[in-house]
């Protein structure tokens, strides 16, 4: 069986659209249609119904029955290819949001480099909706989005939660602990930390219009940060900004929402890559629990605001892999 034909069928079956499938596969629409016809000829049945004058498609009954077999075949084919090239390799593709990739996972990647197992990770940075879509389409093995969604065939687990604090160039109102009234929303750099955050933010900071800057990356927030502006960020990111960018961190007098991180996998991928996924999950959960315990100790035993370079240095040292 031709891998190219199977992969094209699975992509079309999941997207129900020739145009979208062509874009995902980086080929022309004509090539997609030709491959589907070739596969149907080989199988001796019609797999798709094409609507006249439209690029939309839907599966026939035979196509619906063939889809799980095709997915299993493709996964096994990839597994065999990977085994032939690196018999002991632990290969996974993960997708995660930018803030987790830059501020939560770097020390974990360092640990994996020195792990006794031969890990080979393909790492993709993307937004939460894209992570769910690519896990659903089996284009990534494990995803780490910021929100929980209920999708048939996808397992979702909350793996990390972290309180938000205020980042600014200088101390606001000469206070270490602030009330919402102390913060001028006209000077806020708005970062969307998830649905719980949006609900909380709109309650205590009623929107008077579109924010001047709504962004999705901490680096951009830092570029925009001046003497008047401020933004919310999770505590571990705040530690990094204190140490590397001389930012001032303030806490809010009222309880802030948490930035939640979820881990998602498709049930099919959990079967075809069972060993890799089980071992990866164990390692990442162990790392996150250790990190959360350390951060909680920092919050309990020292002031979370001001410049504390020694605290951040100790924090990084805590997660350096042992020889």
């Amino acid at each position: 069986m031709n891998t190219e034909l199977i992969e094209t069928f699975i992509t079309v079956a999941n997207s129900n659209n020739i145009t979208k499938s062509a874009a995902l596969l980086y080929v022309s629409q004509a090539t997609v249609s030709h491959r589907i016809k070739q596969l149907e000829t080989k199988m001796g049945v019609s797999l798709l119904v094409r609507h006249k004058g439209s690029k939309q498609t839907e599966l026939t009954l035979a196509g619906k029955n063939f889809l799980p077999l095709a997915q299993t075949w493709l996964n096994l084919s990839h597994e065999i290819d990977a085994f032939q090239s690196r018999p002991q390799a632990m290969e996974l593709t993960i997708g995660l949001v930018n803030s987790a990739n830059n501020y939560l996972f770097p020390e974990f990647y360092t640990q994996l480099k020195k792990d006794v197992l031969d890990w080979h990770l393909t790492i993709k940075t993307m937004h939460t909706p894209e992570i769910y879509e690519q896990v659903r389409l089996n284009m990534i093995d494990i995803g780490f989005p910021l929100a929980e969604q209920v999708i048939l065939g996808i397992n979702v687990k909350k793996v990390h939660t972290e309180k938000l604090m205020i980042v600014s160039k200088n101390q606001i109102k000469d206070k270490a602990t602030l009330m919402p009234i102390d913060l001028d929303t006209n000077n806020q750099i708005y970062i969307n930390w998830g649905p719980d955050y949006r609900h909380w933010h709109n309650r205590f900071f009623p929107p008077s219009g579109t924010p001047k800057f709504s962004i999705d990356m901490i680096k951009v927030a830092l570029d925009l940060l001046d003497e008047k502006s401020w933004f919310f960020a999770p505590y571990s990111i705040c530690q990094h900004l204190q140490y590397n960018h001389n930012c001032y961190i303030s806490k809010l007098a009222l309880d802030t929402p948490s930035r939640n991180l979820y881990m998602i996998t498709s049930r099919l991928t959990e079967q075809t890559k069972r060993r890799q996924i089980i071992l990866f999950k164990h390692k990442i959960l162990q790392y996150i629990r250790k990190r959360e315990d350390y951060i909680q100790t920092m919050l309990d035993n020292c002031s979370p605001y001001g410049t504390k370079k020694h605290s951040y240095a100790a924090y990084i040292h805590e997660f350096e892999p042992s020889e």
Side-chain angles (χ1 to χ4, degrees), residues 157-161 284-294:
K157 176 184 177 66
K158 183 163 73 173
V159 294
H160 180 55
T161 185
I284 191 61
L285 290 175
Q286 188 178 50
Y287 166 78
I288 289 174
R289 294 292 87 80
K290 184 177 180 181
R291 182 185 179 108
E292 287 181 337
D293 289 344
Y294 189 85

PDB file of all heavy atoms in Angstrom, residues 157-161 284-294:
ATOM      1  N   LYS A 157      -5.988  16.202  30.324  1.00  0.00           N
ATOM      2  CA  LYS A 157      -5.621  16.187  31.745  1.00  0.00           C
ATOM      3  C   LYS A 157      -4.955  17.505  32.107  1.00  0.00           C
ATOM      4  O   LYS A 157      -4.031  17.941  31.413  1.00  0.00           O
ATOM      5  CB  LYS A 157      -4.648  15.027  32.028  1.00  0.00           C
ATOM      6  CG  LYS A 157      -4.122  14.971  33.471  1.00  0.00           C
ATOM      7  CD  LYS A 157      -3.113  13.860  33.620  1.00  0.00           C
ATOM      8  CE  LYS A 157      -2.521  13.816  35.027  1.00  0.00           C
ATOM      9  NZ  LYS A 157      -3.521  13.464  36.057  1.00  0.00           N
ATOM     10  N   LYS A 158      -5.438  18.154  33.187  1.00  0.00           N
ATOM     11  CA  LYS A 158      -4.765  19.372  33.656  1.00  0.00           C
ATOM     12  C   LYS A 158      -3.482  18.975  34.365  1.00  0.00           C
ATOM     13  O   LYS A 158      -3.505  18.175  35.290  1.00  0.00           O
ATOM     14  CB  LYS A 158      -5.675  20.174  34.582  1.00  0.00           C
ATOM     15  CG  LYS A 158      -5.047  21.499  35.031  1.00  0.00           C
ATOM     16  CD  LYS A 158      -6.076  22.473  35.589  1.00  0.00           C
ATOM     17  CE  LYS A 158      -6.567  22.049  36.947  1.00  0.00           C
ATOM     18  NZ  LYS A 158      -7.434  23.082  37.574  1.00  0.00           N
ATOM     19  N   VAL A 159      -2.350  19.561  33.949  1.00  0.00           N
ATOM     20  CA  VAL A 159      -1.060  19.141  34.495  1.00  0.00           C
ATOM     21  C   VAL A 159      -0.314  20.243  35.236  1.00  0.00           C
ATOM     22  O   VAL A 159       0.663  19.970  35.939  1.00  0.00           O
ATOM     23  CB  VAL A 159      -0.144  18.580  33.375  1.00  0.00           C
ATOM     24  CG1 VAL A 159      -0.730  17.297  32.803  1.00  0.00           C
ATOM     25  CG2 VAL A 159       0.087  19.609  32.272  1.00  0.00           C
ATOM     26  N   HIS A 160      -0.770  21.486  35.089  1.00  0.00           N
ATOM     27  CA  HIS A 160      -0.015  22.572  35.733  1.00  0.00           C
ATOM     28  C   HIS A 160      -0.931  23.764  35.970  1.00  0.00           C
ATOM     29  O   HIS A 160      -1.773  24.093  35.123  1.00  0.00           O
ATOM     30  CB  HIS A 160       1.155  22.994  34.838  1.00  0.00           C
ATOM     31  CG  HIS A 160       2.001  24.097  35.396  1.00  0.00           C
ATOM     32  ND1 HIS A 160       2.599  24.028  36.636  1.00  0.00           N
ATOM     33  CD2 HIS A 160       2.358  25.298  34.883  1.00  0.00           C
ATOM     34  CE1 HIS A 160       3.292  25.138  36.850  1.00  0.00           C
ATOM     35  NE2 HIS A 160       3.149  25.922  35.810  1.00  0.00           N
ATOM     36  N   THR A 161      -0.791  24.388  37.133  1.00  0.00           N
ATOM     37  CA  THR A 161      -1.557  25.595  37.427  1.00  0.00           C
ATOM     38  C   THR A 161      -0.654  26.573  38.154  1.00  0.00           C
ATOM     39  O   THR A 161       0.178  26.168  38.959  1.00  0.00           O
ATOM     40  CB  THR A 161      -2.810  25.253  38.265  1.00  0.00           C
ATOM     41  OG1 THR A 161      -3.604  26.414  38.434  1.00  0.00           O
ATOM     42  CG2 THR A 161      -2.444  24.683  39.612  1.00  0.00           C
ATOM     43  N   ILE A 284       7.460  14.138  32.308  1.00  0.00           N
ATOM     44  CA  ILE A 284       7.020  15.539  32.325  1.00  0.00           C
ATOM     45  C   ILE A 284       6.196  15.828  33.578  1.00  0.00           C
ATOM     46  O   ILE A 284       6.318  16.916  34.169  1.00  0.00           O
ATOM     47  CB  ILE A 284       6.231  15.897  31.035  1.00  0.00           C
ATOM     48  CG1 ILE A 284       6.014  17.413  30.954  1.00  0.00           C
ATOM     49  CG2 ILE A 284       4.923  15.171  30.965  1.00  0.00           C
ATOM     50  CD1 ILE A 284       7.265  18.235  30.892  1.00  0.00           C
ATOM     51  N   LEU A 285       5.379  14.888  34.027  1.00  0.00           N
ATOM     52  CA  LEU A 285       4.595  15.115  35.241  1.00  0.00           C
ATOM     53  C   LEU A 285       5.492  15.174  36.472  1.00  0.00           C
ATOM     54  O   LEU A 285       5.267  15.982  37.380  1.00  0.00           O
ATOM     55  CB  LEU A 285       3.542  14.023  35.401  1.00  0.00           C
ATOM     56  CG  LEU A 285       2.391  14.055  34.381  1.00  0.00           C
ATOM     57  CD1 LEU A 285       1.474  12.846  34.566  1.00  0.00           C
ATOM     58  CD2 LEU A 285       1.594  15.344  34.507  1.00  0.00           C
ATOM     59  N   GLN A 286       6.501  14.341  36.500  1.00  0.00           N
ATOM     60  CA  GLN A 286       7.463  14.367  37.603  1.00  0.00           C
ATOM     61  C   GLN A 286       8.193  15.705  37.639  1.00  0.00           C
ATOM     62  O   GLN A 286       8.378  16.308  38.709  1.00  0.00           O
ATOM     63  CB  GLN A 286       8.462  13.214  37.431  1.00  0.00           C
ATOM     64  CG  GLN A 286       9.399  13.003  38.606  1.00  0.00           C
ATOM     65  CD  GLN A 286      10.310  11.812  38.374  1.00  0.00           C
ATOM     66  OE1 GLN A 286      10.947  11.694  37.316  1.00  0.00           O
ATOM     67  NE2 GLN A 286      10.361  10.905  39.329  1.00  0.00           N
ATOM     68  N   TYR A 287       8.582  16.191  36.484  1.00  0.00           N
ATOM     69  CA  TYR A 287       9.274  17.479  36.388  1.00  0.00           C
ATOM     70  C   TYR A 287       8.368  18.633  36.829  1.00  0.00           C
ATOM     71  O   TYR A 287       8.773  19.506  37.600  1.00  0.00           O
ATOM     72  CB  TYR A 287       9.730  17.693  34.942  1.00  0.00           C
ATOM     73  CG  TYR A 287      10.150  19.107  34.625  1.00  0.00           C
ATOM     74  CD1 TYR A 287      11.390  19.590  35.004  1.00  0.00           C
ATOM     75  CD2 TYR A 287       9.293  19.973  33.949  1.00  0.00           C
ATOM     76  CE1 TYR A 287      11.781  20.887  34.725  1.00  0.00           C
ATOM     77  CE2 TYR A 287       9.658  21.270  33.657  1.00  0.00           C
ATOM     78  CZ  TYR A 287      10.913  21.717  34.040  1.00  0.00           C
ATOM     79  OH  TYR A 287      11.274  23.018  33.768  1.00  0.00           O
ATOM     80  N   ILE A 288       7.124  18.631  36.350  1.00  0.00           N
ATOM     81  CA  ILE A 288       6.200  19.716  36.686  1.00  0.00           C
ATOM     82  C   ILE A 288       5.878  19.726  38.178  1.00  0.00           C
ATOM     83  O   ILE A 288       5.838  20.792  38.807  1.00  0.00           O
ATOM     84  CB  ILE A 288       4.911  19.605  35.849  1.00  0.00           C
ATOM     85  CG1 ILE A 288       5.205  19.955  34.386  1.00  0.00           C
ATOM     86  CG2 ILE A 288       3.821  20.529  36.393  1.00  0.00           C
ATOM     87  CD1 ILE A 288       4.036  19.736  33.446  1.00  0.00           C
ATOM     88  N   ARG A 289       5.663  18.534  38.782  1.00  0.00           N
ATOM     89  CA  ARG A 289       5.367  18.488  40.219  1.00  0.00           C
ATOM     90  C   ARG A 289       6.543  19.038  41.026  1.00  0.00           C
ATOM     91  O   ARG A 289       6.353  19.794  41.977  1.00  0.00           O
ATOM     92  CB  ARG A 289       5.092  17.040  40.658  1.00  0.00           C
ATOM     93  CG  ARG A 289       3.850  16.400  40.082  1.00  0.00           C
ATOM     94  CD  ARG A 289       2.565  17.027  40.609  1.00  0.00           C
ATOM     95  NE  ARG A 289       2.155  18.179  39.821  1.00  0.00           N
ATOM     96  CZ  ARG A 289       1.521  18.116  38.672  1.00  0.00           C
ATOM     97  NH1 ARG A 289       1.236  16.949  38.150  1.00  0.00           N
ATOM     98  NH2 ARG A 289       1.166  19.225  38.034  1.00  0.00           N
ATOM     99  N   LYS A 290       7.743  18.688  40.644  1.00  0.00           N
ATOM    100  CA  LYS A 290       8.929  19.176  41.343  1.00  0.00           C
ATOM    101  C   LYS A 290       9.049  20.684  41.200  1.00  0.00           C
ATOM    102  O   LYS A 290       9.362  21.406  42.163  1.00  0.00           O
ATOM    103  CB  LYS A 290      10.178  18.487  40.784  1.00  0.00           C
ATOM    104  CG  LYS A 290      11.468  18.844  41.508  1.00  0.00           C
ATOM    105  CD  LYS A 290      12.636  18.061  40.935  1.00  0.00           C
ATOM    106  CE  LYS A 290      13.925  18.416  41.659  1.00  0.00           C
ATOM    107  NZ  LYS A 290      15.085  17.682  41.094  1.00  0.00           N
ATOM    108  N   ARG A 291       8.758  21.175  40.023  1.00  0.00           N
ATOM    109  CA  ARG A 291       8.819  22.618  39.778  1.00  0.00           C
ATOM    110  C   ARG A 291       7.763  23.364  40.596  1.00  0.00           C
ATOM    111  O   ARG A 291       8.034  24.407  41.197  1.00  0.00           O
ATOM    112  CB  ARG A 291       8.616  22.879  38.282  1.00  0.00           C
ATOM    113  CG  ARG A 291       8.714  24.351  37.871  1.00  0.00           C
ATOM    114  CD  ARG A 291       8.381  24.491  36.396  1.00  0.00           C
ATOM    115  NE  ARG A 291       8.453  25.893  36.001  1.00  0.00           N
ATOM    116  CZ  ARG A 291       9.412  26.411  35.255  1.00  0.00           C
ATOM    117  NH1 ARG A 291      10.407  25.647  34.861  1.00  0.00           N
ATOM    118  NH2 ARG A 291       9.396  27.683  34.925  1.00  0.00           N
ATOM    119  N   GLU A 292       6.546  22.831  40.626  1.00  0.00           N
ATOM    120  CA  GLU A 292       5.480  23.475  41.397  1.00  0.00           C
ATOM    121  C   GLU A 292       5.804  23.499  42.886  1.00  0.00           C
ATOM    122  O   GLU A 292       5.553  24.498  43.569  1.00  0.00           O
ATOM    123  CB  GLU A 292       4.159  22.745  41.164  1.00  0.00           C
ATOM    124  CG  GLU A 292       3.554  23.002  39.794  1.00  0.00           C
ATOM    125  CD  GLU A 292       2.237  22.292  39.592  1.00  0.00           C
ATOM    126  OE1 GLU A 292       1.988  21.285  40.278  1.00  0.00           O
ATOM    127  OE2 GLU A 292       1.452  22.732  38.735  1.00  0.00           O
ATOM    128  N   ASP A 293       6.368  22.397  43.406  1.00  0.00           N
ATOM    129  CA  ASP A 293       6.748  22.354  44.824  1.00  0.00           C
ATOM    130  C   ASP A 293       7.799  23.411  45.134  1.00  0.00           C
ATOM    131  O   ASP A 293       7.738  24.079  46.177  1.00  0.00           O
ATOM    132  CB  ASP A 293       7.288  20.969  45.190  1.00  0.00           C
ATOM    133  CG  ASP A 293       6.193  19.905  45.209  1.00  0.00           C
ATOM    134  OD1 ASP A 293       5.006  20.282  45.239  1.00  0.00           O
ATOM    135  OD2 ASP A 293       6.540  18.708  45.170  1.00  0.00           O
ATOM    136  N   TYR A 294       8.744  23.561  44.231  1.00  0.00           N
ATOM    137  CA  TYR A 294       9.809  24.545  44.460  1.00  0.00           C
ATOM    138  C   TYR A 294       9.245  25.966  44.437  1.00  0.00           C
ATOM    139  O   TYR A 294       9.578  26.802  45.282  1.00  0.00           O
ATOM    140  CB  TYR A 294      10.902  24.381  43.405  1.00  0.00           C
ATOM    141  CG  TYR A 294      12.133  25.201  43.706  1.00  0.00           C
ATOM    142  CD1 TYR A 294      13.119  24.708  44.554  1.00  0.00           C
ATOM    143  CD2 TYR A 294      12.296  26.466  43.165  1.00  0.00           C
ATOM    144  CE1 TYR A 294      14.238  25.464  44.850  1.00  0.00           C
ATOM    145  CE2 TYR A 294      13.415  27.226  43.458  1.00  0.00           C
ATOM    146  CZ  TYR A 294      14.379  26.718  44.296  1.00  0.00           C
ATOM    147  OH  TYR A 294      15.486  27.476  44.585  1.00  0.00           O
TER     148      TYR A 294
END
